[in-house]
Amino acid sequence: MAQPLVKKDDDRDEEADYSPFLGIEKGAVLQEARVFNDPQLDPRRCSQVITKLLYLLNQGESFTKVEATEVFFSVTKLFQSKDIGLRRMVYVMIKELSPSADEVIIVTSSLMKDMTSKTDMYRANAIRVLCRITDGTLLTQIERYLKQAIVDKNPVVASAALVSGIHLLQTNPEIVKRWSNEVQEAVQSRAALVQFHALALLHQIRQKDRLAVNKLVSSLTRGSARSPLAQCLLIRYTSQVIRESANNTQTGDRPFYDFLEGCLRHKAEMVIFEAARAITELNGVTSRELTPAITVLQLFLSSSKPVLRFAAVRTLNKVAMTHPTAVTNCNIDMESLISDQNRSIATLAITTLLKTGNESSVDRLMKQITNFMSDIADEFKIVVVEAIRSLCLKFPLKHRSLMNFLSNILREEGGFEYKKAIVDSIVILIRDIPEAKETGLLHLCEFIEDCEFTYLSTQILHFLGIEGPKTSDPSKYIRYIYNRVHLENATVRAGAVSTLAKFGAMVDGLKPRIFVLLRRCLFDTDDEVRDRATLYLNTLGGDGAVVETGADVKEFLFGSLDIPLVNLENSLKNYEASEKPFDINSVPKEVKTQPLTEKKAPGKKPTGLGAPPPGPPTTVDAYEKLLSSIPQFAKFGKLFKSSAPVELTEAETEYAVSVVKHIFDGHVVFQYNCTNTVPEQLLENVTVIVDASEAEEFAEVASKPLRSLPYDSPGQTFVAFEKPDGVPAVGKFSNMLRFIVKEVDPSTGEAEEDGVEDEYQLEDLEVVAADYILKVGVSNFRNAWESMGADFERVDEYGLGPRDSLAEAVNAVIDLLGMQPCEGTEAVPPNSRSHTCLLSGVYIGNVKVLVRLQFGLDGPKEVAMKLAVRSEDEIVSDAIHEIVASG
Amino acid sequence: MELCPSIKNILLLDSEGNRVAVKYYSDDWPTNSAKEAFERAVFTKTQKTNARTEAEITMFDNYIVVYKFVQDLHFFVTGGENENEIILATVLQGFFDAVGLLLRGNEDKREALENLDLILLCLDEIVDGGIILETDANVIAGKVDSHSMDVGAPLSEQTITQALATAREHLTRSLLQTEYIPDVTLMSLQACILDAIFVADST
């Protein structure tokens, strides 16, 4: 073998390894490029050298500025040659080199000459090259030729000019806009692609002018566009027009729907698909409108072409999110796709089926999926696991078979991300479906018996420590946990020791046995494990006496740390070893970064193991910690609810402020999250002046100003109000941000000594009834409803007035009450005339409330609602009615 | 809002995932290493699939990739996640068939590299700055070939020296490929020269 290239193992012919560019080297090729300067040009050789240069660039080699300039200048010499092939290579080379403005001048005249040449190939290419490298000033010189080219009878020339126009519109819109007459003419061209390019350019020129676009679309939809691509474009413009006009025309049929539907019968698949997709994406599409689109997509599902199957199943998958019933017709075709060679298609089919499936089909589906899971890649498995998780939350009664499925796949081979997805799903199910808790925990226990991922083991041990002691028979978990102490690495062993201690602290009956186990850990080889065991033994009273563990000990051992970890880390770094022990109280508690403003979207699902477990959404814990660390608020008692942040400023103003409402039994605390977006300013002593004159039941009791608010580093200020105990008082508050502003020298970052007092008006803030209701779901609404009993049931009917749709009315009531929709009843099937929605929540004072809403359409748009409330307290039932009546 | 169908890149890789020719039309991959990472990801994700009779499709990182293989050549066309899959497939088919026409049915890596100029021109004729220029393989190949003919045509004007230069090229190539066996080399040298003279004569 003469070449040192990669040797193949198989007996393939060595020729396969041969490359004409073997051993190619930039320096040598640049030398070769000198042939461009020869007085007698050899076109063939020059072409070869250009190919070599392009090969180098294509392989990722880059030329230095000097090299590029040198190559560029010698390439320009090649315009002397009359060889067409060489000229084509020169064009490509110039585009690749993207010369600078002063270099462009050298080739301009040559290119302009080509642009007016008789050879169409020269004209088309010269236009594309020139437009690519040119700037505005030059453009005015060649504008005349470009306008001519647009209407040139040669379609290649016309397309070249039009496509260049599309690119130039980004940089020189005012010039390109002058061509609209010529472009308009080109739209009528008989050449398919010219029409496509002309349509694209014309639309971009006019896109700001809605009326013109409207006119363009209506004139073209009447005729027939010539090429499939142009037709696709027209479909996109049409749906845009439909989208924008939707707000104005409420009556009658949707404009242009007939055009879209007609496109479903076009002969080109790309057009059929584009139209079908456009129909499925229409705002508030009805099932009658959907049907023809679904039908053609269904045909695609059984196509022999993977691309068609993929396109169809992907679109149907999206439709299934909003209109599951419309897609059920395709279920049989979809099921056959589970075994599709192309795994992307199979996965999309599975997830679609999981979305459209009903409770009765779950078991059959699970059987099919089990076969399928073994031969797909991890990333697809994760998608499936997520789909199953949401299915389980939708049909809690099916938790047994779904949980079984999860535990089965947990035992199979798989990478970390996949296993983590499964474990996260099980954790979420345990949290949301109480019936699934014990089996779920056991599945997790079995998993850590043979788990290769330290991270997952420790997370599961931690989770066990929290959930395990609360189960009916905590002792059965001990064996699994103690096994870890024997068999695992130090990290997991330490985790297991902590978990054991938690069982000991929480379950007094287990204490003596736990102590025995912990004492054995004192001889562990790892010091962290020994330290933990010692600590727990001493604090839990492991000296033999079984005493009830005090609350403060529990708090000390297992309570959450009320100091931001970053601050603690910094303080520890700064601590110098000395006689004086480290004082944890010296660590600042003020949160510097702002971990609390993460969106707490309504109904947000807990995010698996990463977040600390149970209780209502995790941020509440964080808020509680934050508030209790502020002395003024510490005596307010337990935090009942924290709202999602409400923006009090427009986006992109000087100061961004959002507010979180914290509700306590007898108090309300407003937490204002402030961000200073002006780099030249430092704000100090930031407070919010709240005017509560429209909130009579509230009286301001305390406030906590923010000492300083530097640029782009969010901070919080608080204002607290007293309100009657346990009463859901409502009111409106107007806010004014007050602060001292100091100029900051941008170069040094230092603030000036003196500041000026200033104020900034914020938007008003309201405390509404929904703030007093916690979103707490129940897994089986009927059971909960029955067991609550009809003692304090209150039923009444309301007219909700004209509404856009039933769904809008349902959402409005859900938002008003701020309760958790159960069993997926918040989704209204399209075109239904009536709907029942189930809500559950906890009212202030820890009173459980269940609500059954029955909506019906009364007349064309009038919505009527029957509201049935059951709760543990009649006052609360009445209060819910009052909220609805006054909302 | 960009409504015009757009192509993010077109890739032609070999059966080990190395570049034969690639063209990027989007700034999503600003550096060469980002491009190479993308190519590696696409290649590993698709190499085990059978995309020889029908174009296949996959989706990852919010891109849609349609692809088709022949011999040791892997063709890819990438679009954004909201792109019409069938439009992408049409572009792929245009590219695929045009390359087939230009390589006269000998679609393999070696032939592709030897005619890299044609492949690069082909890419240049299919898409311009992300906008589809042409999808009909015959038209694309016709545009590219009209001057490759011209490159071929001057053969008649080639002098014997140029013909001999061609022969020398062939010779070096065979030297690179074969074990060094003098007899064979000698024979192939003779054959080459004869070839070259024949070509020069016949035209």
Side-chain angles (χ1 to χ4, degrees):
Chain A
M1 288 275 290
Q3 73 247 60
L5 211 68
V6 210
K7 269 193 195 168
K8 293 266 178 57
D9 292 335
D10 51 359
D11 309 311
R12 289 238 316 264
D13 196 337
E14 282 148 11
E15 281 187 22
D17 282 350
Y18 164 75
S19 155
F21 301 105
L22 198 69
I24 190 168
E25 205 262 316
K26 184 171 88 172
V29 180
L30 290 174
Q31 289 284 320
E32 273 188 81
R34 291 190 181 160
V35 296
F36 299 163
N37 299 324
D38 281 356
Q40 281 294 314
L41 282 173
D42 174 354
R44 203 165 154 280
R45 183 148 166 66
C46 292
S47 276
Q48 281 173 347
V49 176
I50 292 188
T51 310
K52 281 184 188 170
L53 288 167
L54 287 171
Y55 174 83
L56 285 173
L57 287 171
N58 217 296
Q59 293 294 320
E61 190 87 55
S62 58
F63 294 160
T64 64
K65 186 83 193 79
V66 179
E67 286 165 349
T69 312
E70 213 160 278
V71 170
F72 176 77
F73 279 118
S74 43
V75 165
T76 57
K77 303 251 169 58
L78 298 178
F79 274 101
Q80 289 166 20
S81 167
K82 293 274 174 281
D83 187 280
I84 298 184
L86 177 60
R87 185 69 57 86
R88 265 315 304 272
M89 296 309 281
V90 170
Y91 294 140
V92 175
M93 192 69 209
I94 292 176
K95 280 197 272 190
E96 284 298 323
L97 288 171
S98 49
S100 60
D102 47 340
E103 293 169 347
V104 169
I105 299 165
I106 314 284
V107 280
T108 309
S109 63
S110 305
L111 285 170
M112 277 170 74
K113 211 173 111 207
D114 283 1
M115 223 170 87
T116 50
S117 138
K118 286 201 177 58
T119 317
D120 293 334
M121 187 60 71
Y122 281 174
R123 289 219 302 285
N125 280 295
I127 288 172
R128 281 168 58 200
V129 176
L130 201 50
C131 291
R132 173 73 58 86
I133 60 176
T134 192
D135 59 2
T137 49
L138 186 62
L139 197 56
T140 43
Q141 289 179 46
I142 58 169
E143 191 185 353
R144 189 162 59 92
Y145 302 109
L146 289 174
K147 278 160 96 169
Q148 275 170 17
I150 289 175
V151 290
D152 196 288
K153 64 182 189 311
N154 183 306
V156 182
V157 176
S159 279
L162 288 164
V163 171
S164 302
I166 296 174
H167 295 314
L168 289 171
L169 194 61
Q170 315 302 325
T171 48
N172 296 288
E174 68 295 337
I175 296 180
V176 181
K177 278 180 183 156
R178 295 201 290 250
W179 308 348
S180 75
N181 282 340
E182 285 76 12
V183 180
Q184 184 105 44
E185 198 180 327
V187 172
Q188 307 302 328
S189 164
R190 302 171 71 80
L193 282 148
V194 174
Q195 194 187 34
F196 164 61
H197 295 133
L199 187 55
L201 179 55
L202 189 61
H203 179 265
Q204 283 194 17
I205 291 177
R206 299 200 174 156
Q207 60 183 349
K208 297 262 161 53
D209 181 355
R210 194 191 287 182
L211 208 65
V213 173
N214 223 322
K215 243 166 86 185
L216 176 70
V217 167
S218 31
S219 75
L220 284 170
T221 47
R222 264 180 255 127
S224 149
R226 281 182 177 77
S227 83
L229 278 173
Q231 192 79 352
C232 285
L233 212 48
L234 191 52
I235 292 172
R236 291 185 188 183
Y237 299 157
T238 308
S239 13
Q240 193 191 25
V241 169
I242 296 178
R243 242 195 323 276
E244 283 168 357
S245 63
N247 310 326
N248 313 331
T249 53
Q250 269 302 327
T251 50
D253 284 341
R254 209 188 283 274
F256 299 119
Y257 175 78
D258 289 341
F259 166 71
L260 293 182
E261 208 221 324
C263 288
L264 295 175
R265 292 183 292 275
H266 198 274
K267 57 183 188 302
E269 282 156 346
M270 79 167 69
V271 177
I272 300 175
F273 174 67
E274 187 73 45
R277 195 171 69 157
I279 291 177
T280 63
E281 285 170 0
L282 289 176
N283 276 337
V285 63
T286 65
S287 18
R288 210 183 44 184
E289 288 170 324
L290 264 181
T291 311
I294 302 285
T295 311
V296 297
L297 290 174
Q298 189 175 2
L299 286 177
F300 279 7
L301 287 181
S302 44
S303 159
S304 65
K305 295 182 189 163
V307 173
L308 287 193
R309 297 199 299 272
F310 177 90
V313 77
R314 190 159 79 105
T315 310
L316 290 172
N317 188 301
K318 275 195 206 128
V319 178
M321 290 183 200
T322 49
H323 299 82
T325 44
V327 185
T328 33
N329 281 343
C330 308
N331 276 4
I332 296 180
D333 305 80
M334 206 77 88
E335 280 182 27
S336 60
L337 290 184
I338 295 179
S339 52
D340 200 297
Q341 288 268 309
N342 184 315
R343 284 323 182 178
S344 306
I345 296 176
T347 312
L348 282 167
I350 285 269
T351 48
T352 313
L353 284 167
L354 289 174
K355 279 175 203 146
T356 59
N358 47 29
E359 199 147 356
S360 57
S361 66
V362 167
D363 292 315
R364 190 164 48 95
L365 209 52
M366 296 316 290
K367 203 173 281 169
Q368 279 172 319
I369 297 176
T370 314
N371 301 330
F372 158 83
M373 285 302 266
S374 54
D375 51 29
I376 53 170
D378 271 11
E379 52 191 304
F380 292 138
K381 290 180 181 168
I382 292 171
V383 177
V384 174
V385 166
E386 277 161 7
I388 287 181
R389 174 171 72 204
S390 48
L391 186 71
C392 194
L393 292 173
K394 200 162 108 196
F395 303 120
L397 287 178
K398 286 287 168 198
H399 72 84
R400 202 172 306 274
S401 65
L402 294 171
M403 191 65 107
N404 262 335
F405 174 81
L406 289 177
S407 76
N408 282 337
I409 54 174
L410 193 53
R411 267 181 239 126
E412 278 157 26
E413 287 290 294
F416 172 72
E417 290 298 331
Y418 172 45
K419 289 286 159 91
K420 183 166 178 296
I422 304 174
V423 171
D424 279 351
S425 296
I426 294 182
V427 166
I428 286 170
L429 296 183
I430 289 174
R431 234 179 262 166
D432 287 11
I433 307 173
E435 296 84 0
K437 188 173 185 174
E438 306 236 338
T439 41
L441 286 178
L442 278 177
H443 288 318
L444 291 179
C445 283
E446 271 166 37
F447 173 59
I448 51 171
E449 291 274 69
D450 184 22
C451 170
E452 55 189 310
F453 305 110
T454 302
Y455 173 82
L456 287 180
S457 291
T458 50
Q459 293 292 315
I460 290 175
L461 282 169
H462 176 73
F463 185 69
L464 273 176
I466 292 160
E467 293 292 336
K470 296 186 214 153
T471 55
S472 56
D473 181 13
S475 63
K476 67 180 168 197
Y477 302 105
I478 302 294
R479 179 171 62 87
Y480 295 102
I481 300 167
Y482 187 62
N483 279 347
R484 301 303 100 221
V485 179
H486 283 302
L487 303 167
E488 295 279 2
N489 61 38
T491 315
V492 180
R493 291 205 303 276
V497 166
S498 296
T499 307
L500 281 178
K502 262 181 224 169
F503 274 79
M506 311 283 281
V507 188
D508 289 332
L510 287 175
K511 251 190 198 134
R513 288 148 73 191
I514 295 282
F515 287 156
V516 174
L517 297 176
L518 283 180
R519 253 178 241 122
R520 287 191 198 158
C521 302
L522 291 175
F523 305 103
D524 197 280
T525 49
D526 185 81
D527 50 355
E528 168 78 17
V529 180
R530 287 195 308 271
D531 286 356
R532 285 197 189 192
T534 314
L535 172 71
Y536 292 129
L537 277 171
N538 287 332
T539 47
L540 295 177
D543 44 4
V546 176
V547 287
E548 187 158 331
T549 311
D552 50 337
V553 173
K554 278 187 197 162
E555 179 57 33
F556 168 66
L557 288 181
F558 309 118
S560 42
L561 195 63
D562 59 351
I563 311 165
L565 279 180
V566 195
N567 298 4
L568 180 61
E569 188 187 342
N570 282 336
S571 302
L572 283 171
K573 270 186 196 151
N574 295 337
Y575 173 73
E576 280 168 36
S578 67
E579 289 296 304
K580 199 168 146 271
F582 179 75
D583 181 10
I584 198 154
N585 292 323
S586 67
V587 180
K589 289 184 181 177
E590 193 128 356
V591 185
K592 285 232 179 59
T593 55
Q594 202 175 17
L596 300 180
T597 45
E598 281 152 34
K599 267 172 258 135
K600 192 193 122 206
K604 175 192 156 201
K605 296 268 171 291
T607 45
L609 280 173
T618 52
T619 42
V620 170
D621 292 348
Y623 282 137
E624 197 164 7
K625 229 185 296 168
L626 176 74
L627 291 172
S628 61
S629 69
I630 300 168
Q632 295 101 304
F633 309 145
K635 58 182 191 301
F636 290 174
K638 185 158 169 49
L639 177 62
F640 176 72
K641 178 180 181 175
S642 298
S643 74
V646 182
E647 298 296 333
L648 294 183
T649 48
E650 302 278 324
E652 290 165 30
T653 44
E654 298 107 299
Y655 316 111
V657 180
S658 68
V659 67
V660 178
K661 297 173 273 186
H662 300 290
I663 310 288
F664 293 86
D665 247 3
H667 296 87
V668 175
V669 175
F670 297 142
Q671 173 189 334
Y672 296 91
N673 301 318
C674 313
T675 312
N676 169 13
T677 62
V678 188
E680 299 83 21
Q681 287 188 0
L682 169 71
L683 306 190
E684 284 190 349
N685 215 358
V686 182
T687 51
V688 176
I689 308 301
V690 184
D691 174 8
S693 54
E694 285 181 71
E696 287 156 11
E697 289 175 277
F698 294 85
E700 185 170 332
V701 287
S703 70
K704 181 174 183 295
L706 180 63
R707 244 166 293 144
S708 99
L709 183 65
Y711 164 64
D712 206 21
S713 147
Q716 299 116 1
T717 163
F718 299 83
V719 180
F721 287 86
E722 197 169 37
K723 69 171 190 57
D725 246 6
V727 172
V730 297
K732 194 171 179 185
F733 302 82
S734 60
N735 307 296
M736 174 83 82
L737 193 68
R738 181 174 292 170
F739 46 81
I740 295 167
V741 55
K742 291 186 175 173
E743 297 288 318
V744 173
D745 185 338
S747 53
T748 60
E750 287 192 15
E752 281 174 22
E753 287 278 313
D754 303 318
V756 188
E757 189 156 319
D758 200 357
E759 284 180 348
Y760 189 80
Q761 183 68 46
L762 303 174
E763 281 169 32
D764 290 351
L765 154 73
E766 273 187 279
V767 171
V768 293
D771 288 328
Y772 297 100
I773 305 179
L774 274 184
K775 283 182 183 229
V776 176
V778 290
S779 62
N780 189 326
F781 189 85
R782 180 191 287 270
N783 279 355
W785 182 261
E786 295 304 329
S787 60
M788 182 80 80
D791 294 351
F792 302 117
E793 179 168 322
R794 293 285 183 274
V795 185
D796 206 348
E797 290 188 9
Y798 299 88
L800 299 182
R803 297 280 172 167
D804 280 350
S805 68
L806 212 49
E808 194 240 288
V810 173
N811 285 333
V813 177
I814 293 175
D815 285 348
L816 179 66
L817 289 176
M819 294 174 73
Q820 176 70 40
C822 301
E823 300 178 13
T825 51
E826 73 272 32
V828 183
N831 277 358
S832 43
R833 309 269 313 158
S834 64
H835 182 71
T836 302
C837 179
L838 308 171
L839 302 176
S840 108
V842 171
Y843 199 70
I844 190 160
N846 252 343
V847 185
K848 274 200 193 122
V849 189
L850 298 172
V851 166
R852 192 157 69 187
L853 298 164
Q854 284 162 300
F855 294 86
L857 274 180
D858 186 15
K861 292 281 174 194
E862 294 281 320
V863 177
M865 178 183 75
K866 184 174 166 192
L867 169 67
V869 185
R870 286 187 181 186
S871 76
E872 293 161 336
D873 186 342
E874 58 181 324
I875 300 172
V876 174
S877 299
D878 287 332
I880 299 285
H881 274 283
E882 226 165 88
I883 295 173
V884 175
S886 59
Chain B
M1 186 170 51
E2 186 57 70
L3 290 173
C4 194
S6 77
I7 306 295
K8 300 260 183 197
N9 66 41
I10 299 184
L11 314 174
L12 177 56
L13 307 179
D14 71 6
S15 56
E16 277 152 37
N18 301 314
R19 272 181 199 170
V20 175
V22 297
K23 186 80 192 157
Y24 286 80
Y25 307 102
S26 141
D27 301 331
D28 295 5
W29 304 273
T31 61
N32 187 49
S33 52
K35 289 177 178 138
E36 280 177 344
F38 178 78
E39 287 156 32
R40 242 191 330 279
V42 169
F43 180 77
T44 37
K45 222 178 133 56
T46 58
Q47 60 173 337
K48 292 212 180 70
T49 54
N50 182 11
R52 289 178 189 271
T53 45
E54 288 286 357
E56 277 289 346
I57 182 162
T58 188
M59 190 172 165
F60 76 104
D61 287 354
N62 299 330
Y63 296 110
I64 296 180
V65 182
V66 289
Y67 56 100
K68 198 168 181 186
F69 306 156
V70 62
Q71 308 251 29
D72 53 358
L73 289 179
H74 294 203
F75 296 74
F76 302 88
V77 170
T78 308
E81 63 172 333
N82 290 319
E83 200 43 85
N84 179 330
E85 293 89 341
I86 302 167
I87 292 182
L88 297 178
T90 312
V91 174
L92 174 72
Q93 197 65 41
F95 178 43
F96 184 89
D97 291 344
V99 170
L101 287 169
L102 290 169
L103 301 182
R104 299 192 169 78
N106 303 320
E107 297 124 306
D108 58 31
K109 179 189 176 185
R110 174 182 173 167
E111 199 69 23
L113 282 175
E114 278 182 13
N115 295 288
L116 189 70
D117 50 344
L118 299 187
I119 308 263
L120 292 172
L121 289 178
C122 187
L123 285 170
D124 188 53
E125 288 294 354
I126 294 174
V127 172
D128 183 287
I131 297 172
I132 301 166
L133 269 184
E134 180 57 76
T135 58
D136 182 327
N138 285 308
V139 179
I140 299 166
K143 282 201 237 171
V144 174
D145 220 21
S146 65
H147 31 75
S148 83
M149 286 306 173
D150 287 315
V151 175
L155 258 187
S156 55
E157 295 153 26
Q158 274 187 11
T159 57
I160 277 289
T161 17
Q162 277 171 323
L164 277 173
T166 321
R168 201 180 306 125
E169 261 172 51
H170 278 280
L171 176 63
T172 24
R173 185 181 300 167
S174 42
L175 273 174
L176 280 167
Q177 290 169 285
T178 40
E179 299 278 346
Y180 190 74
I181 305 167
D183 283 351
V184 175
T185 321
L186 199 62
M187 278 160 68
S188 66
L189 175 64
Q190 283 169 342
C192 285
I193 293 173
L194 283 175
D195 267 1
I197 291 170
F198 176 73
V199 168
D201 279 353
S202 63
T203 47

